[in-house]
Amino acid sequence: MWKDGESVMFRADGGWLEGKCHGPSPDTAPTIMMLHEGLGCVDLWRDFPRKLAEATRYGVFTYSRRGYGASDPAALPRPVDYMTREAVEVLPEVLGAIGFTEGILLGHSDGASIAAIYAGSIQDHRVRGLVLMAPHFFTEPMGLSAIAKAREAYETGDLRARLSKYHANVDNAFRGWNDAWLDPAFEHWNIEEVIAYIRVPVLAIQGVQDQYGTAAQIAALKEQSYNPVDVAMLENCGHAPFVEQPDRTLALLTEFVERLDRIEAAEPEAA
């Protein structure tokens, strides 16, 4: 189904999901699988996936999870462990649907948590590295406060109108994310246990002014990981590095990919 620069609809998670392909297909080059944030979708990555494919010469695939973009709606309310379910039940289907052979998981916010859960829960030798932008491993009061403010902006401000440009069922998209995070049971959500089981190099990128998470998230990743973790804390940057500092973010990703390529090229010689 891979066609460079074209959108596709494919079956996964019991419904139809939208995706978009950039660059070479998985049978000709490694693939970067991009996993969006809690209110993201294919279109909200903007032109970053295309630029990433051009810079790395990897294929890049983006898709909208159920409830987002043009994908089928999700069943609500989402369970507190919805990110774990996305990682261990849905993501394997998506990787299979595109014919993923090797590459990198790149996630932002909720997507970063999903990528980390996958790498720490499923032994998949096809995954060569992780890029985690603004990952969440546990809840923080300041993050929950920001999510509560997002609910107010959605109900009384212009957030609903802005999001409706990107999501076919905007209430499904917003409520699925916001109601789960503001569920009292979610205050105890914690996925730190997966960190120790990640067996590939990690690049973590976070804005110093991220309104949804502090540097404590990155510190937990560094302290509990047994594998190399490179960290980039970006000044004058909030929750979305690929939007707020796209050139710097692209340079970091390109360097990470090149380093993985060098490591893989050297492995046969060292064996």
Side-chain angles (χ1 to χ4, degrees):
M1 70 175 188
W2 192 282
K3 293 184 179 180
D4 181 19
E6 293 194 12
S7 298
V8 297
M9 297 296 294
F10 64 99
R11 295 283 299 180
D13 196 16
W16 287 99
L17 305 185
E18 71 163 336
K20 192 164 186 178
C21 313
H22 300 272
S25 60
D27 60 339
T28 60
T31 306
I32 299 173
M33 172 67 72
M34 298 184 70
L35 308 168
H36 65 74
E37 64 174 313
L39 289 177
C41 64
V42 166
D43 287 345
L44 279 168
W45 285 112
R46 299 173 172 82
D47 63 350
F48 195 80
R50 176 184 58 78
K51 290 181 177 180
L52 184 59
E54 292 172 352
T56 62
R57 295 191 294 276
Y58 276 32
V60 175
F61 188 78
T62 63
Y63 73 100
S64 300
R65 299 190 292 275
R66 285 200 69 157
Y68 297 101
S71 295
D72 283 349
L76 300 184
R78 290 188 186 274
V80 170
D81 66 344
Y82 74 92
M83 283 180 271
T84 295
R85 298 188 188 197
E86 288 283 350
V88 302
E89 297 174 9
V90 182
L91 184 52
E93 289 187 60
V94 178
L95 294 171
I98 71 165
F100 184 83
T101 58
E102 65 170 328
I104 295 168
L105 302 181
L106 186 163
H108 173 226
S109 192
D110 278 17
S113 302
I114 292 168
I117 294 168
Y118 182 90
S121 304
I122 296 177
Q123 189 176 47
D124 187 346
H125 297 296
R126 300 173 300 174
V127 176
R128 296 166 46 194
L130 294 182
V131 176
L132 308 178
M133 287 193 281
H136 305 292
F137 296 104
F138 47 86
T139 58
E140 296 180 272
M142 55 83 73
L144 295 176
S145 176
I147 291 169
K149 291 178 181 177
R151 174 178 286 182
E152 182 178 351
Y154 188 83
E155 293 176 346
T156 64
D158 66 347
L159 181 57
R160 187 180 189 279
R162 289 190 283 116
L163 290 174
S164 66
K165 300 173 184 178
Y166 300 99
H167 302 291
N169 191 326
V170 66
D171 291 334
N172 192 259
F174 184 82
R175 295 299 179 191
W177 166 75
N178 194 263
D179 289 356
W181 274 84
L182 294 183
D183 185 322
F186 204 87
E187 291 183 18
H188 307 290
W189 176 83
N190 187 304
I191 60 164
E192 287 179 273
E193 71 273 9
V194 306
I195 296 173
Y197 295 96
I198 296 172
R199 292 291 180 263
V200 294
V202 179
L203 170 62
I205 304 173
Q206 179 154 334
V208 173
Q209 288 76 35
D210 190 334
Q211 64 270 40
Y212 290 105
T214 70
Q217 305 287 339
I218 306 302
L221 175 64
K222 287 276 289 183
E223 292 167 4
Q224 299 178 47
S225 177
Y226 291 96
N227 269 40
V229 177
D230 294 327
V231 173
M233 298 296 296
L234 304 185
E235 293 283 356
N236 302 312
C237 182
H239 189 58
F242 69 96
V243 175
E244 298 170 60
Q245 292 200 18
D247 293 341
R248 176 63 176 147
T249 302
L250 184 61
L252 288 166
L253 295 177
T254 303
E255 180 183 347
F256 181 68
V257 168
E258 291 173 348
R259 187 159 66 252
L260 291 182
D261 286 342
R262 289 195 297 270
I263 291 170
E264 182 158 302
E267 283 178 352
E269 298 175 11

